Amino acid sequence: MLVNRKLILAHFWLAFVVFGIALTLGAWQMFIRSPIGTWLSNPELYYRSLTAHGTVMGYVFPTLVAMGFGYAISESALQQRLVGVRWAWAGFWLIVIGSVMAVIPIALGRASVLYTFYPPLIGNVFYYLGVVLVVVGSWIWVALMSINLRVWRKANPGAPVPLAMFANVAGSYLWAWTAVGAALELLLQIIPAAAGLKATIDAGLARVFFSWTLHAIVYFWLMPTYIAYYTIVPRAIGGRVYSDSMARISFILFLVVAMPIGMHHTFADPQVGAGFKFIHSAFTALVALPTLLTVFTICASVEIAARLRGGRGMFGWIKALPWDNPMMLALAFSFVMLGFGGAGGLINMSYQLDASIHNTQWITGHFHLIFGGAIVIMYFAIAYDLWPHLTGRELIDLRLIRTQLWLWFIGMIVTTFPWHWVGILGMPRRMAYFDFGDPAIAPQALSVTFSAIGGFILLASGIMFIVILARGMRALQVDAGPYRFALAVHEPKTVPVALNTHALWVALMIALTLTNYGYPILNLALSSGTSVPAVYVGAQ
Amino acid sequence: MTAQDTHGSASAEVAARVERRWATIAVIIIVVMAGLAAFAGIHRATMPQPRVEITDPSRLHLSGEFVESNLGSVLEANGNVTVHAIGQQYSFTPACIVVPVDTPITLRATSADVVHGILIQSTNVNTMLVPGYISEQLMRFSKTGDYLMPCQEFCSFGHEGMWGKVKVIDKTDFANRAKGGGRLSCVGQ
Ligand SMILES: [Cu+2]
């Protein structure tokens, strides 16, 4: 039952259009910093582009996908009309206004601070206000998801919340709370400085606030992907979810342990002591647990589909999987990239190993593999799966869809593997260009060239994706039927309260954040003499 | 209880057992990783700097350990070397650091304006320079030669031009140059 299809389509289309623009900027950036495109040596344009690319890919695109998918889940999993449609549109328009407000100063070169802000570097105040509006718009979605679940609970007292909605609401709470870190940084520190109300800022404290957001935001980006793993893939390939409760435990674990780990982004920072760095490192190791559980549960779910199709033997069943099904393909690619990206993440998480790759191109490779690779390829899959239900028209280009997914996978590998390699060699990130004439840097030229080629493969794949969806808007009309989620092998008739509600886990999430962040933040906020003069972008 | 039910609960039991086994393996992997990190930390193979030290970036040039005349390398009485450096848009001072090979070196650095970073290629030396705070990093080079030292953190439009250098020279060479006292850098070499 998808009633508010226009609302959901608006979110998805806006998401994919801004994604297309940011993807084009990304490919262009890789081209001009590679040895094949050295004709442009204006770093200012590069950093404008980088700021726009990061802001869109980090804040606008995944937020819109999570919101659109969240509304679709709410209506189809709960089988209930969305409550608060007007508010939902208000949230959407806030994001539109915020994005435009942020993009104008970026285009004018007045906010080249990249998407992680970098205080005491301060850009134009409208850039930050735009980002705040995007976040506020998404908070309306958080509230609506919570309200819709509450309305459903009233009508279905004690019934197990459908897995997709349980996970969706967990993801929205995670987002609401992790955004608080950056919100505090923006409202208390950056915006007063950008508006000229304050001339100084504590850069160390700002970095700690931002780390609160910067890691758990990745798990917010990841939520739609994991929801697709559990609730779409098994149904699409004719299998069943191996374990409903394992899925719930994984989402709860994300909610609880994704938050108190962000300080691993400050391993090399002087304003955080060794003790908290170790604690955050240990918690970061812990967040591998829900992913390991998920990999197991999804592999087992897929195996069920293969055996139902006649697959046999210890590994022989893998052959029996429906490899021509785009959903199967997307899942396999996503898992491969998650495997490599996850292994890289475990290296980043350890203070000792992090020292050799901190802030190098390795990190760029790592998060492009996880976000751009493992996560975004499932965003594609979600769109393909939902599209006929949203448009009432069938998606017929199955071959084109498979080619698009293959290209994205290949492009991502070709882009990120060389980045990991030059990162190990010590190539710093966020540089507009390199002097490949320097004999010490020259050997990295080939790797950087490969990355640039990968960028264009990704661009080609992204264009294909948008073309496929656009053609799907004009294809033959079909009745796609109600949108369904995968069933579990053992559908739960009752679920323990702890696995059916969020309150306990939200409380734990907040408590863990306060214990892991409270002391360092208070300590920095109360110490005097640590504020430094703000440095305004573009001011001479 | 019907045959269907018995079959259902038997398969549920199998599923639960396999799940438990996998969860146990996952937990062991994670405990081992965290344990290794703790072990390496306790043995001080590499450790984050233990203390948080602050300094006022607008007064660096007036007094304290980061005044111009104190930047560069100095041979301490115990044979160790201390290096002081600052980063500013868009260079390091000194632009080239000279140090002896096979010697414990303490790098103390800070930023005079925005956030920068120091990374010495082909080594594990990698630290952030946050204005207002002092970064301390222990290092030791096992080979002589020139190392590139780029700023690894975005520090505005000139970031890509911010490359320093480290020159690792012979121990006795360094001792000879340090004889007159004062601070050394590659300048004049
Ligand atoms: Cu710099």
Side-chain angles (χ1 to χ4, degrees):
Chain A
M1 173 168 144
L2 284 170
V3 182
N4 287 287
R5 301 197 278 191
K6 233 186 183 165
L7 174 78
I8 299 164
L9 270 173
H11 282 81
F12 277 120
W13 266 124
L14 182 62
F16 296 139
V17 166
V18 295
F19 164 75
I21 297 168
L23 186 65
T24 312
L25 292 177
W28 176 76
Q29 284 157 216
M30 284 157 71
F31 175 65
I32 63 154
R33 76 205 283 279
S34 78
I36 45 176
T38 49
W39 50 271
L40 189 128
S41 52
N42 182 352
E44 224 204 282
L45 287 180
Y46 178 85
Y47 294 120
R48 282 183 209 186
S49 175
L50 188 51
T51 305
H53 174 83
T55 304
V56 167
M57 293 300 204
Y59 301 133
V60 185
F61 167 53
T63 306
L64 283 167
V65 170
M67 289 169 72
F69 191 33
Y71 291 133
I73 290 171
S74 180
E75 288 206 326
S76 51
L78 300 183
Q79 304 199 8
Q80 140 192 315
R81 268 184 99 109
L82 188 70
V83 178
V85 176
R86 274 208 206 150
W87 281 101
W89 278 110
F92 175 79
W93 285 109
L94 272 182
I95 292 182
V96 173
I97 296 167
S99 304
V100 172
M101 196 193 261
V103 141
I104 292 171
I106 296 175
L108 295 175
R110 287 300 177 162
S112 297
V113 290
L114 314 193
Y115 87 113
T116 48
F117 307 151
Y118 298 98
L121 213 55
I122 301 289
N124 185 285
V125 68
F126 287 102
Y127 168 67
Y128 305 110
L129 290 175
V131 172
V132 169
L133 282 190
V134 170
V135 173
V136 171
S138 71
W139 279 349
I140 293 180
W141 165 74
V142 173
L144 286 180
M145 289 301 95
S146 177
I147 290 166
N148 275 276
L149 181 56
R150 189 158 306 172
V151 169
W152 183 86
R153 268 194 220 279
K154 269 221 176 103
N156 302 271
V161 176
L163 176 60
M165 190 60 180
F166 182 77
N168 178 34
V169 173
S172 77
Y173 289 154
L174 175 65
W175 169 238
W177 182 242
T178 192
V180 167
L184 289 172
E185 182 198 12
L186 285 170
L187 298 175
L188 299 178
Q189 296 190 279
I190 292 182
I191 291 177
L197 303 172
K198 264 175 65 185
T200 60
I201 186 166
D202 187 329
L205 176 61
R207 289 172 68 81
V208 172
F209 272 137
F210 197 77
S211 79
W212 166 330
T213 295
L214 188 54
H215 205 82
I217 197 174
V218 179
Y219 297 99
F220 165 61
W221 299 338
L222 199 89
M223 280 293 178
T225 291
Y226 272 50
I227 295 173
Y229 286 165
Y230 279 108
T231 67
I232 296 182
V233 172
R235 185 256 298 140
I237 65 166
R240 287 194 156 220
V241 182
Y242 186 71
S243 164
D244 179 84
S245 44
M246 205 57 140
R248 286 169 200 263
I249 290 170
S250 296
F251 286 110
I252 287 168
L253 280 171
F254 272 127
L255 193 56
V256 176
V257 296
M259 270 310 306
I261 66 176
M263 263 184 224
H264 71 231
H265 288 257
T266 65
F267 274 162
D269 278 27
Q271 80 278 12
V272 183
F276 277 96
K277 283 175 181 166
F278 178 77
I279 292 172
H280 281 240
S281 174
F283 271 96
T284 310
L286 204 57
V287 88
L289 188 59
T291 290
L292 289 172
L293 296 180
T294 299
V295 168
F296 166 75
T297 310
I298 299 305
C299 285
S301 311
V302 167
E303 185 183 342
I304 292 171
R307 295 207 187 275
L308 286 173
R309 293 166 59 91
R312 277 165 200 291
M314 183 94 153
F315 295 106
W317 57 269
I318 296 172
K319 265 207 315 268
L321 284 167
W323 288 106
D324 55 346
N325 183 326
M327 195 56 74
M328 186 64 229
L329 213 53
L331 174 76
F333 291 152
S334 183
F335 264 33
V336 171
M337 293 190 277
L338 187 68
F340 283 114
L346 293 179
I347 288 169
N348 304 343
M349 144 260 146
S350 128
Y351 175 82
Q352 289 75 18
L353 295 175
D354 176 71
S356 35
I357 41 94
H358 172 76
N359 253 348
T360 66
Q361 204 71 56
W362 164 287
I363 303 296
T364 330
H366 161 71
F367 71 75
H368 276 81
L369 201 48
I370 289 275
F371 175 62
I375 293 175
V376 168
I377 207 165
M378 291 308 291
Y379 288 1
F380 296 153
I382 291 168
Y384 288 144
D385 197 57
L386 266 173
W387 225 245
H389 299 269
L390 294 174
T391 60
R393 291 159 193 277
E394 65 179 332
L395 276 188
I396 32 162
D397 307 316
L398 277 193
R399 264 185 65 167
L400 208 57
I401 291 176
R402 284 197 293 268
T403 314
Q404 189 264 325
L405 295 171
W406 268 106
L407 277 183
W408 191 261
F409 175 65
I410 294 168
M412 222 14 116
I413 300 290
V414 174
T415 301
T416 58
F417 278 34
W419 274 352
H420 279 87
W421 170 243
V422 293
I424 293 171
L425 297 180
M427 179 177 263
R429 64 196 273 209
R430 307 186 183 105
M431 291 220 154
Y433 56 77
F434 294 97
D435 176 12
F436 292 106
D438 186 320
I441 299 176
Q444 299 165 7
L446 188 65
S447 303
V448 176
T449 307
F450 272 120
S451 278
I453 293 168
F456 284 102
I457 300 175
L458 291 171
L459 182 59
S461 171
I463 291 170
M464 278 173 81
F465 170 67
I466 290 171
V467 168
I468 292 167
L469 292 188
R471 280 171 50 139
M473 303 293 289
R474 287 180 291 128
L476 235 55
Q477 290 200 333
V478 285
D479 177 19
Y483 191 70
R484 280 187 224 284
F485 295 95
L487 297 175
V489 176
H490 301 281
E491 270 299 298
K493 291 187 192 68
T494 57
V495 173
V497 179
L499 296 186
N500 205 32
T501 54
H502 299 90
L504 170 66
W505 309 113
V506 168
L508 206 54
M509 164 180 86
I510 294 174
L512 269 176
T513 314
L514 294 182
T515 53
N516 282 23
Y517 269 104
Y519 179 78
I521 286 178
L522 271 184
N523 203 22
L524 284 168
L526 296 179
S527 65
S528 59
T530 51
S531 284
V532 302
V535 177
Y536 295 92
V537 170
Q540 289 302 320
Chain B
M1 192 181 260
T2 66
Q4 183 63 42
D5 282 344
T6 338
H7 178 75
S9 68
S11 83
E13 257 168 48
V14 173
R17 199 168 60 234
V18 181
E19 266 167 28
R20 257 201 307 279
R21 205 175 298 155
W22 176 257
T24 312
I25 294 170
V27 169
I28 290 171
I29 292 173
I30 286 154
V31 169
V32 167
M33 280 190 315
L36 281 174
F39 180 81
I42 289 161
H43 283 254
R44 305 198 67 86
T46 48
M47 268 290 275
Q49 85 187 68
R51 280 176 308 142
V52 177
E53 292 180 70
I54 64 170
T55 179
D56 181 354
S58 58
R59 298 183 59 81
L60 290 181
H61 58 297
L62 298 176
S63 64
E65 60 176 305
F66 293 99
V67 292
E68 182 102 32
S69 58
N70 199 36
L71 299 177
S73 318
V74 64
L75 186 60
E76 307 282 1
N78 61 2
N80 292 359
V81 168
T82 306
V83 180
H84 283 96
I86 58 174
Q88 66 267 305
Q89 288 175 326
Y90 298 100
S91 63
F92 295 106
T93 311
C96 177
I97 293 168
V98 65
V99 288
V101 76
D102 283 329
T103 308
I105 301 162
T106 305
L107 170 69
R108 286 177 64 79
T110 188
S111 161
D113 42 38
V114 300
V115 178
H116 300 277
I118 278 188
L119 175 158
I120 304 179
Q121 292 191 342
S122 323
T123 72
N124 289 338
V125 178
N126 198 339
T127 190
M128 303 299 304
L129 308 181
V130 180
Y133 301 87
I134 299 172
S135 302
E136 188 176 282
Q137 169 115 51
L138 306 178
M139 52 195 202
R140 188 186 184 110
F141 296 88
S142 54
K143 265 191 288 192
T144 59
D146 288 358
Y147 297 76
L148 285 180
M149 185 179 77
C151 167
Q152 35 81 334
E153 187 63 292
F154 174 71
C155 53
S156 202
F157 299 129
H159 167 55
E160 69 290 322
M162 191 166 166
W163 292 72
K165 232 183 201 176
V166 176
K167 203 176 190 58
V168 182
I169 61 173
D170 191 67
K171 253 179 146 160
T172 47
D173 233 14
F174 187 88
N176 282 334
R177 293 182 50 187
K179 247 180 209 152
R183 275 64 185 154
L184 303 179
S185 73
C186 319
V187 180
Q189 281 298 290

